[in-house]
Amino acid sequence: MHGGQQPQKHYGITSSISMAFPREVDHQYTHKLSEAMKPFGVFEDEDELNHRLAVLGKLNTFVKEWIAEISETKNLPPSAITNVGGKIFTFGSYRLGVHTKGADIDALCVSPRHVERTDFFDSFFAKLKLHEEIKDLRLKIKESHILLNSIDLLFARLALQSIPDNLDLRGDSHLRNLDIRCIRSLNGCRVTDEILYLVPNKENFRLTLRAIKLWAKRRGIYSNMLGFLGGVSWAMLVARTCQLYPNAVAATLVHKFFLVFSKWEWPNPVLLKQPEDSNLNLPVWDPRVNPSDRYHLMPIITPAYPQQNSTYNVSSSTRTIMSEEFKYGLSVTDDILQGKTDWSKLFQPPNFFLKYKHYIVLTASASTEENQLEWIGLVESKIRVLVGNLERNEYITLAHVNPTSFPGNKESCSENEFVSMWFIGIIFKKVENAESVNIDLTYDIQSFTDTVYRQANNINMLKDGMKIEATHVKKKQLHQYLPVELVQRKKRVGWMLSSGRGSRLHSFSAIPCLLLNPISRALPSALVLNASLSLSLWLPPLHTHLSPLPSLQSIVELNRNSNGGSSKRSSLDGSQLDSSRDTDSGTPFSSPTSVCKPSRPAASDTDDRWVLLT
């Protein structure tokens, strides 16, 4: 150390890769990056920002008034009521400073110990509905939070007599004596605050994160629900890049992001700091202790206690897809920084509907718009179960789900039917020295649809008209499903979708609990693809009797259920199902008239199965 120079602050669990300061050209590239993002609406204007601040301020005052009223009903002394406090905290994209135009705000209502969770969902909700500025806005209770116009509001109470305005939630001591629901609610704020604390330069971090989130959305890999990464995971990857290059500006950091994670040796975890044990006996991610954690494919560990893996939904297919996208991003940013192209190329969407020869079209339909909104939410949350099932098929190399859903074709939908579609690209393994190979998809599809229907029944969501259909199509037949304007737009940018009209494919349809032939107990469909990969479907007559659906454990209980601590879940008949934490594995049951647990048929029996002959 020369001349008494003070050592620079150390960020992260390793030393930095480079301490180099930006050159003038780096600032120029950063300015061009910022300009390239503006057309996508990633920056909020001053008026909208001020409006959000005003709304949050009013909500914070409203919460304090409500807590004071509750305190009075619980016979607290006037001196205590005056200082009881209460506060609204924000987290997620808004707290990180990377929210986009019109995006919702994630917020948390923190109360003192004498305010119960039931008070929040009863009296606070009732008070909101009576408020003049709120009563006409979108307001409803959903599971563990309240949706208030553009604010998604959670609740947590601390073991404190009062909540001061300067309360810092980063301290682990706040978690003492709290129930698990409050700890989960607090986790969003604690993780967000810890990320901001651990980055060297917040402004460089924010601009870089805006760019990476935009890139991930445009490239179709932004969805925690479908097995890709969500906002917090992308934020932690960007934060780690900032730690490794603490003095770099956004343009350099975007390039280094792709450099670092295109070469990352997964499943080595990404950590922003060394995990700490606060002796509160809360479950944390630790593969040395928890066998199930060893199966996580792409661990990115939250920095706040209790440390968790934010990417437990990642599958082998989604990790492969993201790894390829990291390499593509590195190639593009190499060209950008060499002056061969501009930043707009980084944000060009991929040609998903040209990428694969085979697709599965997953269709969810309902008889009313309100039912459809509920139904597609459940179906989408379980699509990764289908992806996991397909991945375990020995003849499938990759199953790639497009996060974008599409409305159903009006020509093929009835007047009173609301339809949404997802597309899954499939790559089949090449089998050497084989003229014909049977590829059975019946079990994979049926297991998924059973999971969805059982879950819908378990939460009392299932209503008449709610259906799921899965259809195999070839690339040249996608024009029968995609909106005309989408096909035309892709043609203008070079997409080569066939305009010929092939025969409309029948679809595999699953109905609540299996509609089985009561005599043969056969599965209700056989999907057969011949050597030229054309499609036919045989459906036996459907029996009109619906057997009762099995009762399921709650999602939380199902998440904890594993084989000897392994994260590989089991289906009803004990076969491996899904390695994600919220795979449903219902309790076994029997029915006198039908059976709701699919079993893998013998390889020689192809009469009643999805069978692919290649």
Side-chain angles (χ1 to χ4, degrees):
M1 198 178 304
H2 300 286
Q5 183 179 1
Q6 293 295 319
Q8 188 160 348
K9 182 178 178 179
H10 177 67
Y11 292 94
I13 62 172
T14 65
S15 58
S16 302
I17 293 177
S18 173
M19 301 292 294
F21 286 89
R23 304 162 297 171
E24 179 59 30
V25 67
D26 297 326
H27 289 291
Q28 294 173 3
Y29 278 120
T30 297
H31 176 73
K32 292 178 181 178
L33 171 62
S34 181
E35 291 298 313
M37 289 191 288
K38 287 182 178 179
F40 297 99
V42 298
F43 299 105
E44 193 173 46
D45 58 42
E46 197 70 22
D47 290 341
E48 189 172 359
L49 178 60
N50 290 334
H51 175 69
R52 288 179 185 267
L53 291 173
V55 170
L56 286 171
K58 290 180 180 179
L59 183 59
N60 192 59
T61 302
F62 193 79
V63 163
K64 290 183 177 181
E65 293 176 357
W66 166 69
I67 291 177
E69 292 171 3
I70 287 292
S71 301
E72 189 173 356
T73 64
K74 295 179 184 289
N75 299 320
L76 265 68
S79 59
I81 294 174
T82 303
N83 300 313
V84 75
K87 188 174 180 180
I88 291 291
F89 291 85
T90 59
F91 61 98
S93 295
Y94 184 84
R95 177 70 180 95
L96 289 173
V98 295
H99 53 288
T100 56
K101 289 182 178 179
D104 288 352
I105 299 175
D106 295 314
L108 171 69
C109 172
V110 176
S111 76
R113 63 191 181 193
H114 61 272
V115 179
E116 302 284 346
R117 179 173 291 269
T118 53
D119 294 329
F120 177 72
F121 288 107
D122 292 338
S123 63
F124 182 70
F125 184 77
K127 183 177 175 66
L128 281 173
K129 290 200 295 185
L130 294 175
H131 198 280
E132 292 183 358
E133 295 184 39
I134 295 176
K135 62 182 179 181
D136 294 328
L137 300 179
R138 175 170 61 96
L139 178 66
K140 63 179 178 178
I141 296 177
K142 184 178 181 182
E143 296 176 355
S144 60
H145 53 273
I146 290 178
L147 296 176
L148 168 61
N149 200 28
S150 61
I151 299 175
D152 191 346
L153 190 60
L154 299 176
F155 173 81
R157 65 168 184 166
L158 301 184
L160 300 173
Q161 291 182 339
S162 63
I163 304 298
D165 288 336
N166 62 350
L167 178 66
D168 184 355
L169 296 178
R170 288 181 57 231
D172 294 346
S173 61
H174 292 310
L175 303 180
R176 293 188 184 278
N177 303 317
L178 298 188
D179 66 41
I180 191 63
R181 294 172 299 178
C182 289
I183 292 174
R184 288 172 181 158
S185 295
L186 288 167
N187 195 49
C189 292
R190 287 168 49 79
V191 168
T192 305
D193 288 351
E194 199 67 33
I195 290 172
L196 288 174
Y197 178 78
L198 293 170
V199 295
N201 184 299
K202 292 181 178 59
E203 292 308 311
N204 290 338
F205 163 76
R206 285 172 174 142
L207 185 55
T208 306
L209 181 55
R210 286 185 186 274
I212 294 301
K213 288 181 67 174
L214 175 60
W215 164 80
K217 290 175 181 178
R218 297 286 290 172
R219 300 298 296 180
I221 56 174
Y222 190 104
S223 176
N224 177 62
M225 183 183 296
L226 294 176
F228 295 104
L229 303 190
V232 173
S233 298
W234 290 117
M236 288 189 285
L237 292 187
V238 171
R240 185 67 186 123
T241 307
C242 292
Q243 291 179 337
L244 295 172
Y245 301 89
N247 297 317
V249 291
T252 305
L253 288 169
V254 169
H255 177 249
K256 298 302 184 184
F257 171 91
F258 293 120
L259 177 63
V260 169
F261 293 109
S262 64
K263 301 180 183 301
W264 195 271
E265 295 182 356
W266 306 105
N268 288 328
V270 175
L271 297 163
L272 297 183
K273 71 174 189 178
Q274 288 292 353
E276 300 172 353
D277 187 1
S278 296
N279 297 318
L280 297 178
N281 295 321
L282 295 174
V284 298
W285 184 86
D286 189 345
R288 299 169 301 177
V289 176
N290 308 316
S292 61
D293 293 344
R294 300 169 194 168
Y295 292 93
H296 294 174
L297 301 178
M298 199 174 176
I300 302 172
I301 310 305
T302 56
Y305 180 84
Q307 298 84 9
Q308 303 293 319
N309 176 24
S310 65
T311 59
Y312 58 83
N313 287 338
V314 169
S315 68
S316 60
S317 288
T318 53
R319 185 178 71 173
T320 298
I321 294 160
M322 287 186 284
S323 295
E324 290 302 314
E325 288 294 340
F326 289 144
K327 294 174 184 177
Y328 171 80
L330 177 62
S331 174
V332 172
T333 51
D334 278 341
D335 289 345
I336 292 171
L337 298 185
Q338 292 172 19
K340 297 179 181 179
T341 187
D342 55 31
W343 287 106
S344 62
K345 184 177 181 180
L346 183 66
F347 305 123
Q348 290 178 358
N351 293 337
F352 177 82
F353 297 107
L354 276 183
K355 193 171 184 179
Y356 303 102
K357 293 181 179 179
H358 302 276
Y359 294 84
I360 289 176
V361 184
L362 183 64
T363 304
S365 58
S367 56
T368 69
E369 186 174 8
E370 183 179 359
N371 289 350
Q372 178 69 352
L373 288 175
E374 284 188 307
W375 186 229
I376 63 175
L378 176 62
V379 172
E380 186 174 35
S381 72
K382 300 300 178 185
I383 289 178
R384 66 176 181 274
V385 176
L386 174 57
V387 171
N389 293 346
L390 294 171
E391 287 176 344
R392 281 181 291 279
N393 189 301
E394 61 179 320
Y395 295 108
I396 292 179
T397 301
L398 183 138
H400 180 183
V401 57
N402 186 339
T404 302
S405 63
F406 298 86
N409 191 327
K410 293 182 179 179
E411 297 178 359
S412 61
C413 299
S414 62
E415 184 177 348
N416 297 322
E417 190 176 30
F418 297 84
V419 178
S420 296
M421 301 184 298
W422 294 267
F423 292 81
I424 304 174
I426 303 292
I427 296 179
F428 293 104
K429 289 181 180 178
K430 294 181 179 179
V431 182
E432 297 180 359
N433 303 321
E435 294 182 2
S436 178
V437 177
N438 292 348
I439 300 178
D440 185 357
L441 300 181
T442 303
Y443 176 86
D444 306 324
I445 302 297
Q446 195 71 62
S447 177
F448 161 71
T449 55
D450 289 348
T451 295
V452 176
Y453 282 122
R454 287 197 304 267
Q455 181 65 27
N457 183 71
N458 188 49
I459 60 178
N460 298 319
M461 178 192 292
L462 196 59
K463 299 178 178 66
D464 290 340
M466 289 182 171
K467 296 185 297 183
I468 313 172
E469 295 181 351
T471 307
H472 169 274
V473 299
K474 293 186 288 184
K475 179 169 60 177
K476 66 181 181 181
Q477 297 162 320
L478 288 172
H479 69 280
Q480 299 179 24
Y481 298 88
L482 295 171
V484 174
E485 60 271 18
L486 181 63
V487 176
Q488 290 177 339
R489 180 176 64 83
K490 294 190 183 309
K491 284 182 178 179
R492 287 198 296 269
V493 296
W495 282 45
M496 303 288 292
L497 288 180
S498 169
S499 59
R501 295 191 61 83
S503 59
R504 182 61 186 269
L505 303 181
H506 299 295
S507 61
F508 173 92
S509 179
I511 305 174
C513 199
L514 297 184
L515 291 176
L516 302 183
N517 185 309
I519 299 175
S520 67
R521 299 286 178 94
L523 291 175
S525 66
L527 181 62
V528 182
L529 289 88
N530 62 24
S532 63
L533 295 180
S534 62
L535 180 70
S536 63
L537 180 68
W538 175 78
L539 286 171
L542 294 179
H543 191 51
T544 56
H545 175 72
L546 280 178
S547 65
L549 291 164
S551 61
L552 295 182
Q553 302 171 3
S554 67
I555 293 177
V556 173
E557 290 172 336
L558 292 173
N559 292 347
R560 293 173 179 170
N561 184 25
S562 60
N563 294 332
S566 168
S567 66
K568 294 185 177 180
R569 313 301 178 188
S570 296
S571 66
L572 296 179
D573 60 352
S575 60
Q576 295 303 315
L577 194 62
D578 186 74
S579 58
S580 67
R581 287 191 179 177
D582 42 26
T583 295
D584 294 304
S585 52
T587 54
F589 76 104
S590 60
S591 169
T593 57
S594 64
V595 178
C596 285
K597 67 172 185 178
S599 60
R600 289 194 182 276
S604 60
D605 178 12
T606 61
D607 291 340
D608 299 318
R609 293 180 285 147
W610 279 48
V611 181
L612 178 68
L613 304 178
T614 60

